[in-house]
């Protein structure tokens, strides 16, 4: 299916997948959530361009998605998302190679906490600021224009319920997640304004989870209930489903994948 920048993606195509013809970039694709998302996007027919700082974990996820869905185009690059220049180069390379970028899924994560508020280590904030905020800033700035040019782009941030109800020992983590959400919603406003009173050319949304769970974690903790947790496969389906609705219905929203506090 041939497409050009600025032409809205038409669902369906040669393989009948709902994202056939779409090009979706996934940042932080090396973890369990990333692996599940690569698989689901490939299954839906998208061309998937993955990035992670861990080359080995990234290659494992790319190989699984590529071989699970014969004929799927799934590629991986190690990209330093703490560098704005590197993020811009990744976005430009993707658009130049595939002619468009229809999605950026931000899955870069990390957690640090303390036993109490008084015991908060501000070194945790420094680390989380880079992982959870700076990477969002760099990917959003790099991909804003390509997503808008696609005519039906999506920027998806995975956040945590703790951003809305922070606990004493999670001050740094909750504050970082809240900042990342605010940044993403500012991107959504940029897309809204680009619509000039009509539908936005792209949408930015926040998917909120309590925490994520996957099969390996269940195997490590067979007695744990994981109440309110979101399975990574369900997260991947929710991400892929962001293209099921018009951009105007998705843009600037928080979508809860766990009970809202």
């Amino acid at each position: 299916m041939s497409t050009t920048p600025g032409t809205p993606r038409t669902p369906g195509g040669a393989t009948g997948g709902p994202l056939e013809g779409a090009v979706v970039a996934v940042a932080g694709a090396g973890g369990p959530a990333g692996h599940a998302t690569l698989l689901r996007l490939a299954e839906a027919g998208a061309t998937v361009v993955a990035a992670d700082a861990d080359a080995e974990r990234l290659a494992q996820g790319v190989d699984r998605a590529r071989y699970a869905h014969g004929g799927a185009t799934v590629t991986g690059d190690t990209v330093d998302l703490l560098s704005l220049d590197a993020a811009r180069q990744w976005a430009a390379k993707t658009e130049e190679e595939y002619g468009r970028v229809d999605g950026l899924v931000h899955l870069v994560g990390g957690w640090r906490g303390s036993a109490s508020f008084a015991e908060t280590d501000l070194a945790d904030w420094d680390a989380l600021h880079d992982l959870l905020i700076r990477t969002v800033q760099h990917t959003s700035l790099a991909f804003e224009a390509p997503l808008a040019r696609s005519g039906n782009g999506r920027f998806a941030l995975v956040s945590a319920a703790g951003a809305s109800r922070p606990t004493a020992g999670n001050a740094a983590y909750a504050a970082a997640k809240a900042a990342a959400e605010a940044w993403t919603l500012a991107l959504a406003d940029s897309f809204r304004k680009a619509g000039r009173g009509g539908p936005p050319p792209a949408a930015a949304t926040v998917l909120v989870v309590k925490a994520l769970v996957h099969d390996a974690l269940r195997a490590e903790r067979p007695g744990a209930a994981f109440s309110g947790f979101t399975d990574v496969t369900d997260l991947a389906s929710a991400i892929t489903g962001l293209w099921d609705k018009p951009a105007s219905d998705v843009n600037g929203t928080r979508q809860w994948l766990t009970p809202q506090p």
Side-chain angles (χ1 to χ4, degrees):
M1 178 177 179
S2 176
T3 55
T4 57
T7 303
R9 178 192 57 78
T10 300
T15 65
L19 290 182
E20 178 71 20
V23 178
V24 183
V26 181
H35 288 192
T37 299
L38 298 185
L39 279 167
R40 185 68 189 91
L41 288 169
E43 181 182 45
T47 292
V48 189
V49 183
D52 198 275
D54 188 318
E56 183 176 354
R57 294 200 312 166
L58 175 63
Q60 292 171 354
V62 168
D63 287 345
R64 283 181 59 198
R66 184 182 294 153
Y67 294 126
H69 304 288
T73 300
V74 185
T75 65
D77 282 310
T78 52
V79 180
D80 179 12
L81 294 178
L82 293 180
S83 163
L84 178 57
D85 285 342
R88 290 192 190 279
Q89 289 170 14
W90 181 39
K93 175 185 175 183
T94 301
E95 188 176 28
E96 179 179 358
E97 183 168 351
Y98 297 106
R100 60 189 303 115
V101 182
D102 298 285
L104 185 287
V105 181
H106 186 278
L107 296 174
V108 182
W111 178 86
R112 293 192 182 188
S114 57
S116 69
F117 182 81
E119 295 173 88
T120 298
D121 184 348
L122 290 180
D124 291 348
W125 167 257
D126 293 336
L128 293 171
H129 173 270
D130 282 347
L131 286 171
L132 306 183
I133 304 174
R134 190 64 77 189
T135 59
V136 174
Q137 293 173 326
H138 290 169
T139 52
S140 60
L141 290 169
F143 282 87
E144 178 196 19
L147 291 175
R149 281 193 290 270
S150 88
N152 196 31
R154 300 290 186 273
F155 183 97
L157 172 76
V158 178
S159 189
S164 300
R165 185 172 288 182
T167 57
N170 276 328
Y173 177 76
K177 281 294 191 182
E181 286 194 16
W183 188 275
T184 300
L185 295 177
L187 173 63
D189 190 55
S190 175
F191 289 145
R192 180 187 63 80
K193 290 177 177 176
R196 303 181 184 276
T205 191
V206 178
L207 300 173
V208 184
V209 302
K210 176 181 178 181
L212 295 173
V213 65
H214 50 89
D215 288 343
L217 185 58
R218 290 190 182 95
E220 292 173 8
R221 300 168 57 187
F226 299 110
S227 178
F229 284 35
T230 300
D231 192 282
V232 293
T233 59
D234 293 329
L235 172 65
S237 293
I239 289 169
T240 306
L242 292 176
W243 283 267
D244 291 345
K245 296 179 180 180
S248 56
D249 291 351
V250 176
N251 192 44
T253 63
R254 286 185 176 93
Q255 300 191 25
W256 287 78
L257 305 183
T258 189
Q260 187 170 350

